[in-house]
Short mmCIF file of all heavy atoms in Angstrom, two decimals:
data_model
loop_
_atom_site.label_atom_id
_atom_site.label_comp_id
_atom_site.label_asym_id
_atom_site.label_seq_id
_atom_site.Cartn_x
_atom_site.Cartn_y
_atom_site.Cartn_z
N MET R 10 105.52 127.19 86.37
CA MET R 10 105.67 127.43 87.78
C MET R 10 105.46 126.10 88.53
O MET R 10 104.55 125.37 88.25
CB MET R 10 104.65 128.49 88.26
CG MET R 10 104.75 128.75 89.72
SD MET R 10 103.56 130.00 90.28
CE MET R 10 104.49 131.46 89.92
N ALA R 11 106.30 125.82 89.44
CA ALA R 11 106.24 124.57 90.23
C ALA R 11 105.09 124.63 91.22
O ALA R 11 104.77 125.66 91.76
CB ALA R 11 107.54 124.32 90.98
N ASP R 12 104.48 123.49 91.42
CA ASP R 12 103.39 123.36 92.41
C ASP R 12 104.00 122.98 93.74
O ASP R 12 104.51 121.89 93.91
CB ASP R 12 102.38 122.32 91.92
CG ASP R 12 101.22 122.16 92.89
OD1 ASP R 12 101.14 122.92 93.86
OD2 ASP R 12 100.39 121.27 92.66
N ASN R 13 103.96 123.88 94.70
CA ASN R 13 104.56 123.63 96.01
C ASN R 13 103.58 123.08 97.01
O ASN R 13 103.90 123.01 98.19
CB ASN R 13 105.18 124.93 96.54
CG ASN R 13 106.39 125.33 95.73
OD1 ASN R 13 107.08 124.52 95.18
ND2 ASN R 13 106.62 126.65 95.66
N THR R 14 102.36 122.73 96.57
CA THR R 14 101.36 122.26 97.53
C THR R 14 101.55 120.77 97.83
O THR R 14 100.98 120.31 98.80
CB THR R 14 99.95 122.45 96.96
OG1 THR R 14 99.79 121.77 95.71
CG2 THR R 14 99.64 123.94 96.76
N GLU R 15 102.32 120.06 97.03
CA GLU R 15 102.56 118.65 97.31
C GLU R 15 104.00 118.42 97.64
O GLU R 15 104.89 118.84 96.92
CB GLU R 15 102.19 117.80 96.09
CG GLU R 15 100.72 117.73 95.84
CD GLU R 15 100.39 116.71 94.75
OE1 GLU R 15 101.06 115.68 94.69
OE2 GLU R 15 99.46 116.97 94.02
N LYS R 16 104.24 117.75 98.75
CA LYS R 16 105.60 117.39 99.15
C LYS R 16 105.91 116.00 98.66
O LYS R 16 105.03 115.13 98.60
CB LYS R 16 105.71 117.36 100.69
CG LYS R 16 106.04 118.63 101.34
CD LYS R 16 106.16 118.39 102.82
CE LYS R 16 107.33 119.07 103.40
NZ LYS R 16 107.40 118.92 104.86
N ASP R 17 107.14 115.79 98.32
CA ASP R 17 107.59 114.45 97.98
C ASP R 17 107.41 113.57 99.21
O ASP R 17 107.80 113.97 100.31
CB ASP R 17 109.06 114.51 97.55
CG ASP R 17 109.60 113.18 97.05
OD1 ASP R 17 109.18 112.11 97.55
OD2 ASP R 17 110.42 113.21 96.15
N PRO R 18 106.80 112.39 99.05
CA PRO R 18 106.59 111.53 100.22
C PRO R 18 107.87 111.26 101.01
O PRO R 18 107.82 111.09 102.24
CB PRO R 18 106.03 110.24 99.62
CG PRO R 18 105.35 110.69 98.38
CD PRO R 18 106.21 111.81 97.85
N LYS R 19 109.00 111.26 100.35
CA LYS R 19 110.28 111.04 101.05
C LYS R 19 110.59 112.16 102.02
O LYS R 19 111.37 112.00 102.93
CB LYS R 19 111.42 110.88 100.04
CG LYS R 19 111.29 109.63 99.22
CD LYS R 19 112.37 109.58 98.18
CE LYS R 19 112.10 108.39 97.28
NZ LYS R 19 112.60 108.57 95.94
N ASP R 20 109.98 113.34 101.82
CA ASP R 20 110.18 114.51 102.67
C ASP R 20 109.18 114.64 103.80
O ASP R 20 109.26 115.54 104.60
CB ASP R 20 110.19 115.79 101.84
CG ASP R 20 111.33 115.84 100.83
OD1 ASP R 20 112.36 115.23 101.08
OD2 ASP R 20 111.15 116.49 99.80
N TRP R 21 108.23 113.72 103.86
CA TRP R 21 107.22 113.78 104.93
C TRP R 21 107.87 113.50 106.28
O TRP R 21 108.73 112.64 106.41
CB TRP R 21 106.13 112.73 104.72
CG TRP R 21 105.27 112.89 103.53
CD1 TRP R 21 105.22 113.96 102.68
CD2 TRP R 21 104.35 111.95 103.03
NE1 TRP R 21 104.29 113.73 101.70
CE2 TRP R 21 103.73 112.49 101.88
CE3 TRP R 21 103.93 110.69 103.45
CZ2 TRP R 21 102.75 111.82 101.17
CZ3 TRP R 21 102.97 110.02 102.72
CH2 TRP R 21 102.40 110.59 101.60
N VAL R 22 107.44 114.21 107.30
CA VAL R 22 107.92 113.97 108.65
C VAL R 22 107.56 112.55 109.10
O VAL R 22 108.36 111.85 109.71
CB VAL R 22 107.35 115.02 109.64
CG1 VAL R 22 107.70 114.67 111.08
CG2 VAL R 22 107.85 116.40 109.29
N SER R 23 106.36 112.10 108.74
CA SER R 23 105.92 110.76 109.16
C SER R 23 106.11 109.73 108.05
O SER R 23 105.56 108.64 108.12
CB SER R 23 104.43 110.82 109.57
OG SER R 23 103.65 111.18 108.43
N GLY R 24 106.88 110.03 107.01
CA GLY R 24 107.05 109.15 105.89
C GLY R 24 107.67 107.79 106.24
O GLY R 24 107.43 106.82 105.54
N SER R 25 108.43 107.73 107.31
CA SER R 25 109.06 106.46 107.68
C SER R 25 108.18 105.64 108.64
O SER R 25 108.53 104.53 108.99
CB SER R 25 110.41 106.71 108.33
OG SER R 25 110.29 107.47 109.50
N ASP R 26 107.02 106.19 109.02
CA ASP R 26 106.07 105.44 109.84
C ASP R 26 105.47 104.32 109.00
O ASP R 26 105.42 104.41 107.78
CB ASP R 26 104.93 106.35 110.33
CG ASP R 26 105.39 107.35 111.36
OD1 ASP R 26 106.53 107.28 111.82
OD2 ASP R 26 104.59 108.25 111.67
N PRO R 27 104.96 103.25 109.64
CA PRO R 27 104.30 102.20 108.88
C PRO R 27 103.08 102.75 108.13
O PRO R 27 102.43 103.69 108.59
CB PRO R 27 103.84 101.20 109.96
CG PRO R 27 104.68 101.53 111.14
CD PRO R 27 105.00 102.99 111.06
N MET R 28 102.78 102.11 106.97
CA MET R 28 101.65 102.58 106.19
C MET R 28 100.37 102.43 107.02
O MET R 28 100.29 101.60 107.94
CB MET R 28 101.50 101.80 104.88
CG MET R 28 101.02 100.40 104.98
SD MET R 28 100.83 99.72 103.33
CE MET R 28 101.23 98.00 103.67
N THR R 29 99.40 103.26 106.71
CA THR R 29 98.13 103.21 107.44
C THR R 29 97.28 102.08 106.94
O THR R 29 97.50 101.52 105.84
CB THR R 29 97.36 104.54 107.26
OG1 THR R 29 96.99 104.65 105.88
CG2 THR R 29 98.20 105.73 107.65
N GLY R 30 96.27 101.74 107.69
CA GLY R 30 95.31 100.72 107.26
C GLY R 30 94.60 101.11 105.99
O GLY R 30 94.32 100.27 105.12
N ALA R 31 94.31 102.41 105.87
CA ALA R 31 93.63 102.89 104.66
C ALA R 31 94.52 102.74 103.43
O ALA R 31 94.07 102.33 102.37
CB ALA R 31 93.25 104.34 104.85
N GLN R 32 95.83 103.02 103.59
CA GLN R 32 96.76 102.83 102.48
C GLN R 32 96.82 101.36 102.09
O GLN R 32 96.82 101.03 100.90
CB GLN R 32 98.19 103.33 102.83
CG GLN R 32 98.32 104.82 102.84
CD GLN R 32 99.71 105.25 103.28
OE1 GLN R 32 100.21 104.79 104.30
NE2 GLN R 32 100.33 106.11 102.48
N GLU R 33 96.92 100.48 103.08
CA GLU R 33 97.04 99.05 102.79
C GLU R 33 95.77 98.56 102.06
O GLU R 33 95.87 97.81 101.07
CB GLU R 33 97.22 98.29 104.08
CG GLU R 33 97.43 96.81 103.88
CD GLU R 33 97.73 96.07 105.19
OE1 GLU R 33 97.59 96.65 106.28
OE2 GLU R 33 98.11 94.89 105.09
N SER R 34 94.61 98.97 102.51
CA SER R 34 93.36 98.57 101.88
C SER R 34 93.28 99.08 100.45
O SER R 34 92.89 98.36 99.54
CB SER R 34 92.20 99.10 102.72
OG SER R 34 90.98 98.80 102.09
N TYR R 35 93.66 100.36 100.26
CA TYR R 35 93.59 100.97 98.91
C TYR R 35 94.57 100.29 97.99
O TYR R 35 94.28 100.00 96.81
CB TYR R 35 93.88 102.47 99.03
CG TYR R 35 93.57 103.22 97.77
CD1 TYR R 35 92.46 102.96 97.00
CD2 TYR R 35 94.42 104.23 97.32
CE1 TYR R 35 92.15 103.68 95.84
CE2 TYR R 35 94.15 104.95 96.18
CZ TYR R 35 93.03 104.66 95.44
OH TYR R 35 92.75 105.35 94.29
N LEU R 36 95.78 99.93 98.49
CA LEU R 36 96.72 99.22 97.65
C LEU R 36 96.19 97.86 97.21
O LEU R 36 96.40 97.44 96.06
CB LEU R 36 98.05 99.02 98.42
CG LEU R 36 99.02 100.21 98.37
CD1 LEU R 36 100.16 99.98 99.33
CD2 LEU R 36 99.51 100.44 96.95
N LYS R 37 95.50 97.16 98.08
CA LYS R 37 94.90 95.86 97.69
C LYS R 37 93.85 96.06 96.60
O LYS R 37 93.80 95.31 95.63
CB LYS R 37 94.29 95.19 98.92
CG LYS R 37 95.32 94.65 99.86
CD LYS R 37 94.69 94.01 101.10
CE LYS R 37 95.75 93.56 102.06
NZ LYS R 37 95.20 92.98 103.29
N THR R 38 93.03 97.10 96.73
CA THR R 38 92.01 97.39 95.73
C THR R 38 92.68 97.75 94.39
O THR R 38 92.30 97.24 93.35
CB THR R 38 91.11 98.55 96.19
OG1 THR R 38 90.45 98.15 97.40
CG2 THR R 38 90.07 98.90 95.14
N LEU R 39 93.67 98.62 94.44
CA LEU R 39 94.37 99.02 93.22
C LEU R 39 95.07 97.85 92.57
O LEU R 39 95.11 97.73 91.33
CB LEU R 39 95.36 100.14 93.51
CG LEU R 39 94.80 101.50 93.80
CD1 LEU R 39 95.91 102.45 94.25
CD2 LEU R 39 94.09 102.06 92.59
N ALA R 40 95.66 96.97 93.36
CA ALA R 40 96.34 95.81 92.82
C ALA R 40 95.37 94.92 92.04
O ALA R 40 95.70 94.45 90.95
CB ALA R 40 97.00 95.00 93.95
N GLU R 41 94.17 94.76 92.58
CA GLU R 41 93.15 93.99 91.87
C GLU R 41 92.80 94.67 90.54
O GLU R 41 92.71 94.01 89.50
CB GLU R 41 91.88 93.84 92.71
CG GLU R 41 92.04 92.93 93.89
CD GLU R 41 90.82 92.90 94.77
OE1 GLU R 41 89.73 93.41 94.37
OE2 GLU R 41 90.92 92.37 95.90
N GLN R 42 92.61 95.98 90.56
CA GLN R 42 92.25 96.71 89.36
C GLN R 42 93.37 96.68 88.31
O GLN R 42 93.12 96.65 87.10
CB GLN R 42 91.87 98.15 89.69
CG GLN R 42 90.60 98.27 90.48
CD GLN R 42 90.30 99.67 90.94
OE1 GLN R 42 91.12 100.57 90.81
NE2 GLN R 42 89.09 99.86 91.46
N ALA R 43 94.63 96.70 88.80
CA ALA R 43 95.79 96.69 87.89
C ALA R 43 96.21 95.28 87.52
O ALA R 43 97.17 95.08 86.79
CB ALA R 43 96.94 97.44 88.52
N GLN R 44 95.48 94.28 88.06
CA GLN R 44 95.80 92.87 87.86
C GLN R 44 97.22 92.56 88.30
O GLN R 44 97.99 91.92 87.58
CB GLN R 44 95.53 92.48 86.42
CG GLN R 44 94.08 92.66 86.02
CD GLN R 44 93.80 92.34 84.58
OE1 GLN R 44 94.71 92.04 83.81
NE2 GLN R 44 92.54 92.40 84.22
N GLU R 45 97.53 93.02 89.50
CA GLU R 45 98.85 92.80 90.11
C GLU R 45 98.65 92.16 91.46
O GLU R 45 97.57 92.22 92.02
CB GLU R 45 99.56 94.15 90.30
CG GLU R 45 99.87 94.90 89.08
CD GLU R 45 101.36 94.92 88.77
OE1 GLU R 45 102.16 94.79 89.70
OE2 GLU R 45 101.68 95.06 87.58
N SER R 46 99.72 91.61 92.00
CA SER R 46 99.67 91.10 93.36
C SER R 46 99.88 92.24 94.33
O SER R 46 100.69 93.12 94.06
CB SER R 46 100.78 90.07 93.58
OG SER R 46 100.60 88.97 92.72
N PRO R 47 99.14 92.25 95.42
CA PRO R 47 99.35 93.31 96.43
C PRO R 47 100.73 93.16 97.02
O PRO R 47 101.30 92.06 97.04
CB PRO R 47 98.25 93.10 97.46
CG PRO R 47 97.74 91.73 97.22
CD PRO R 47 98.10 91.34 95.83
N PRO R 48 101.32 94.23 97.53
CA PRO R 48 102.65 94.14 98.12
C PRO R 48 102.64 93.21 99.31
O PRO R 48 101.72 93.23 100.12
CB PRO R 48 102.98 95.58 98.52
CG PRO R 48 101.68 96.28 98.57
CD PRO R 48 100.76 95.57 97.63
N GLU R 49 103.69 92.40 99.42
CA GLU R 49 103.79 91.45 100.53
C GLU R 49 104.54 92.03 101.70
O GLU R 49 104.40 91.61 102.84
CB GLU R 49 104.46 90.17 100.06
CG GLU R 49 103.62 89.43 99.05
CD GLU R 49 104.27 88.14 98.56
OE1 GLU R 49 105.16 87.62 99.29
OE2 GLU R 49 103.89 87.64 97.51
N ASP R 50 105.41 92.99 101.41
CA ASP R 50 106.22 93.59 102.46
C ASP R 50 105.48 94.68 103.21
O ASP R 50 104.54 95.27 102.68
CB ASP R 50 107.49 94.23 101.86
CG ASP R 50 108.37 93.21 101.17
OD1 ASP R 50 108.36 92.05 101.59
OD2 ASP R 50 109.09 93.59 100.22
N ASP R 51 105.90 94.91 104.45
CA ASP R 51 105.39 96.03 105.19
C ASP R 51 106.05 97.29 104.62
O ASP R 51 107.26 97.35 104.50
CB ASP R 51 105.70 95.93 106.69
CG ASP R 51 104.93 94.81 107.35
OD1 ASP R 51 103.79 94.54 106.89
OD2 ASP R 51 105.43 94.24 108.34
N LEU R 52 105.23 98.26 104.24
CA LEU R 52 105.74 99.47 103.64
C LEU R 52 105.65 100.63 104.59
O LEU R 52 104.84 100.61 105.54
CB LEU R 52 104.93 99.80 102.40
CG LEU R 52 104.85 98.75 101.29
CD1 LEU R 52 103.91 99.20 100.17
CD2 LEU R 52 106.22 98.51 100.71
N THR R 53 106.45 101.66 104.36
CA THR R 53 106.30 102.90 105.10
C THR R 53 105.20 103.70 104.43
O THR R 53 104.76 103.40 103.34
CB THR R 53 107.61 103.72 105.08
OG1 THR R 53 107.88 104.13 103.74
CG2 THR R 53 108.79 102.92 105.65
N LYS R 54 104.78 104.76 105.11
CA LYS R 54 103.76 105.66 104.53
C LYS R 54 104.23 106.22 103.19
O LYS R 54 103.49 106.29 102.24
CB LYS R 54 103.45 106.82 105.47
CG LYS R 54 102.57 106.44 106.66
CD LYS R 54 102.32 107.67 107.49
CE LYS R 54 101.46 107.34 108.70
NZ LYS R 54 101.20 108.53 109.51
N ALA R 55 105.51 106.62 103.14
CA ALA R 55 106.06 107.20 101.91
C ALA R 55 106.10 106.15 100.79
O ALA R 55 105.70 106.45 99.65
CB ALA R 55 107.46 107.76 102.17
N GLU R 56 106.57 104.94 101.09
CA GLU R 56 106.62 103.89 100.07
C GLU R 56 105.22 103.53 99.59
O GLU R 56 105.00 103.35 98.37
CB GLU R 56 107.30 102.64 100.66
CG GLU R 56 108.76 102.79 100.94
CD GLU R 56 109.32 101.67 101.76
OE1 GLU R 56 108.59 101.00 102.53
OE2 GLU R 56 110.54 101.45 101.67
N ALA R 57 104.27 103.46 100.53
CA ALA R 57 102.89 103.15 100.13
C ALA R 57 102.31 104.24 99.21
O ALA R 57 101.67 103.93 98.22
CB ALA R 57 102.04 102.97 101.37
N SER R 58 102.58 105.48 99.55
CA SER R 58 102.09 106.58 98.73
C SER R 58 102.64 106.51 97.30
O SER R 58 101.93 106.69 96.34
CB SER R 58 102.45 107.92 99.37
OG SER R 58 101.99 108.99 98.58
N GLU R 59 103.94 106.25 97.20
CA GLU R 59 104.56 106.15 95.88
C GLU R 59 104.00 104.95 95.09
O GLU R 59 103.73 105.07 93.90
CB GLU R 59 106.05 106.06 96.01
CG GLU R 59 106.67 107.35 96.51
CD GLU R 59 108.14 107.26 96.87
OE1 GLU R 59 108.68 106.14 96.96
OE2 GLU R 59 108.76 108.34 97.04
N LEU R 60 103.78 103.84 95.78
CA LEU R 60 103.23 102.66 95.12
C LEU R 60 101.76 102.92 94.69
O LEU R 60 101.34 102.47 93.62
CB LEU R 60 103.35 101.44 96.02
CG LEU R 60 102.95 100.11 95.41
CD1 LEU R 60 103.72 99.82 94.13
CD2 LEU R 60 103.16 98.97 96.42
N ILE R 61 101.04 103.63 95.51
CA ILE R 61 99.65 103.97 95.16
C ILE R 61 99.64 104.79 93.86
O ILE R 61 98.85 104.52 92.96
CB ILE R 61 98.96 104.75 96.31
CG1 ILE R 61 98.60 103.77 97.43
CG2 ILE R 61 97.73 105.49 95.81
CD1 ILE R 61 98.17 104.45 98.74
N ASP R 62 100.54 105.75 93.74
CA ASP R 62 100.61 106.54 92.53
C ASP R 62 100.90 105.65 91.30
O ASP R 62 100.26 105.80 90.25
CB ASP R 62 101.68 107.64 92.63
CG ASP R 62 101.28 108.76 93.56
OD1 ASP R 62 100.10 108.88 93.89
OD2 ASP R 62 102.18 109.53 93.96
N LYS R 63 101.84 104.73 91.46
CA LYS R 63 102.19 103.83 90.32
C LYS R 63 101.04 102.92 89.96
O LYS R 63 100.75 102.70 88.80
CB LYS R 63 103.44 103.02 90.69
CG LYS R 63 104.71 103.80 90.71
CD LYS R 63 105.86 102.94 91.13
CE LYS R 63 107.13 103.78 91.36
NZ LYS R 63 108.22 103.03 91.92
N MET R 64 100.39 102.36 90.99
CA MET R 64 99.27 101.45 90.76
C MET R 64 98.08 102.17 90.11
O MET R 64 97.40 101.61 89.26
CB MET R 64 98.84 100.80 92.06
CG MET R 64 99.78 99.80 92.61
SD MET R 64 99.60 98.22 91.79
CE MET R 64 100.16 97.15 93.06
N ARG R 65 97.85 103.41 90.54
CA ARG R 65 96.76 104.21 89.95
C ARG R 65 96.99 104.41 88.47
O ARG R 65 96.08 104.29 87.65
CB ARG R 65 96.61 105.56 90.65
CG ARG R 65 95.93 105.48 92.02
CD ARG R 65 95.85 106.81 92.70
NE ARG R 65 95.17 107.83 91.89
CZ ARG R 65 93.88 108.02 91.83
NH1 ARG R 65 93.08 107.28 92.56
NH2 ARG R 65 93.34 108.96 91.07
N GLN R 66 98.22 104.71 88.11
CA GLN R 66 98.57 104.89 86.70
C GLN R 66 98.38 103.58 85.92
O GLN R 66 97.80 103.54 84.85
CB GLN R 66 99.99 105.40 86.54
CG GLN R 66 100.15 106.83 86.99
CD GLN R 66 101.60 107.29 86.94
OE1 GLN R 66 102.52 106.53 86.73
NE2 GLN R 66 101.79 108.60 87.14
N LYS R 67 98.85 102.48 86.50
CA LYS R 67 98.75 101.18 85.84
C LYS R 67 97.29 100.75 85.69
O LYS R 67 96.91 100.13 84.71
CB LYS R 67 99.53 100.13 86.60
CG LYS R 67 99.52 98.78 85.92
CD LYS R 67 100.73 97.99 86.20
CE LYS R 67 100.66 96.78 85.27
NZ LYS R 67 101.84 96.00 85.28
N ALA R 68 96.46 101.08 86.66
CA ALA R 68 95.05 100.74 86.65
C ALA R 68 94.23 101.66 85.75
O ALA R 68 93.06 101.47 85.53
CB ALA R 68 94.46 100.74 88.05
N GLY R 69 94.92 102.71 85.22
CA GLY R 69 94.24 103.66 84.33
C GLY R 69 93.42 104.70 85.05
O GLY R 69 92.52 105.31 84.48
N LEU R 70 93.72 104.94 86.32
CA LEU R 70 93.01 105.95 87.09
C LEU R 70 93.80 107.26 87.04
O LEU R 70 95.01 107.25 86.89
CB LEU R 70 92.86 105.51 88.56
CG LEU R 70 92.12 104.17 88.72
CD1 LEU R 70 92.18 103.73 90.20
CD2 LEU R 70 90.69 104.29 88.31
N GLU R 71 93.09 108.35 87.23
CA GLU R 71 93.78 109.65 87.20
C GLU R 71 94.72 109.73 88.35
O GLU R 71 94.53 109.14 89.39
CB GLU R 71 92.75 110.77 87.32
CG GLU R 71 91.89 110.93 86.08
CD GLU R 71 90.94 112.09 86.21
OE1 GLU R 71 91.22 113.03 86.97
OE2 GLU R 71 89.90 112.05 85.55
N HIS R 72 95.74 110.55 88.16
CA HIS R 72 96.75 110.76 89.22
C HIS R 72 96.25 111.78 90.20
O HIS R 72 95.54 112.68 89.99
CB HIS R 72 98.03 111.26 88.60
CG HIS R 72 99.14 111.37 89.60
ND1 HIS R 72 99.31 112.50 90.33
CD2 HIS R 72 100.07 110.51 90.01
CE1 HIS R 72 100.35 112.33 91.15
NE2 HIS R 72 100.82 111.13 90.97
#
C-alpha cells in the first residue's frame, strides 16, 4: 500500500519558493558529514528537500 502522507517536493505549493534558512543550514551540516561541498547555487524548497534526502543517505543517516 502506498504511503500518501508524503508529497513529492515537486508537488508542493511552495516548492518553487527559495529554500529556508533552516534548509540551507542543514545542507551545510550534511555536506560536512558526507564530505561534500555545500551547494553553491540558490535552491528552491523542493530542490533543497531532495538534496537533503540524497545527502542524508550519503552521510549514512536514516531517511
Side-chain angles (χ1 to χ4, degrees):
M10 180 180 274
D12 181 5
N13 292 330
T14 59
E15 288 189 35
K16 272 182 136 175
D17 185 324
K19 293 175 187 152
D20 295 332
W21 294 351
V22 172
S23 63
S25 61
D26 290 351
M28 74 175 147
T29 65
Q32 284 178 309
E33 184 175 11
S34 176
Y35 192 41
L36 276 171
K37 288 179 183 177
T38 299
L39 287 173
E41 289 175 13
Q42 292 174 351
Q44 299 178 355
E45 297 251 334
S46 298
E49 294 181 20
D50 298 332
D51 290 331
L52 303 175
T53 65
K54 285 182 181 180
E56 291 168 334
S58 179
E59 291 172 347
L60 187 55
I61 285 169
D62 287 345
K63 289 178 188 173
M64 289 278 208
R65 285 179 54 87
Q66 290 175 350
K67 184 151 188 171
L70 301 172
E71 290 183 25
H72 186 273

